[in-house]
Amino acid sequence: MNNQQDEKKYKKVDASRILISELMQPSNSNFNGKIHGGYILNLMDQIAFACASKHSKTYCVTASVDTVDFLNPIEIGELLTLKASVNYVGNTSMVVGIRVEAENIRTGAIKHCNSSYFTMVAKDDEGNSVEVPGLILNDKQEIRRFLKSLKRLEMKKLRRREFEEKDFSPNDYLHLLEDHKVKVMLP
């Protein structure tokens, strides 16, 4: 296989890395003067789409979103920066890692607001899933991100298997309720 053919089958992480910045406006705030989490999720979905589409050279759809924890509030007037890269590729899917940071323009202070992982699936014009290029990992951080994605996928499969089994019995898990603020009042 020559080098040009190899480049079509595999792409470097840097080839589809995306960075966007946007000034946070009052129109995107909630009643408490903070930026709506839903607005941030919309921006994250957009950058995940752009990153995955850039990698796959095709239309992509969001299949799932893993762990969106809002770590710090985002204020009106802050410069929001979203960074996205393909962390993992499967046959037709990609995991796009996204980091969200907000910068106070006056002080230059930067805070990490959240990180999340969007699983995107490449589609053709008829809506069929299509194969995506492999990933070339160039440094230890890219290897770490790929391996962590593998671990998250493994945990997701275990969770799904555990709760979708036909012999799942809530009685096996009732002991988990003991330390929670809940009452079970069955008829």
Side-chain angles (χ1 to χ4, degrees), residues 81-99:
T81 300
L82 292 90
K83 302 171 184 177
S85 63
V86 175
N87 290 355
Y88 168 86
V89 294
N91 189 34
T92 62
S93 66
M94 298 150 279
V95 173
V96 176
I98 302 168
R99 182 178 174 91

Side-chain angles (χ1 to χ4, degrees), residues 49 59-63 119-123:
F49 168 83
Y59 181 77
C60 293
V61 296
T62 306
T119 300
M120 308 297 289
V121 177
K123 298 288 186 175

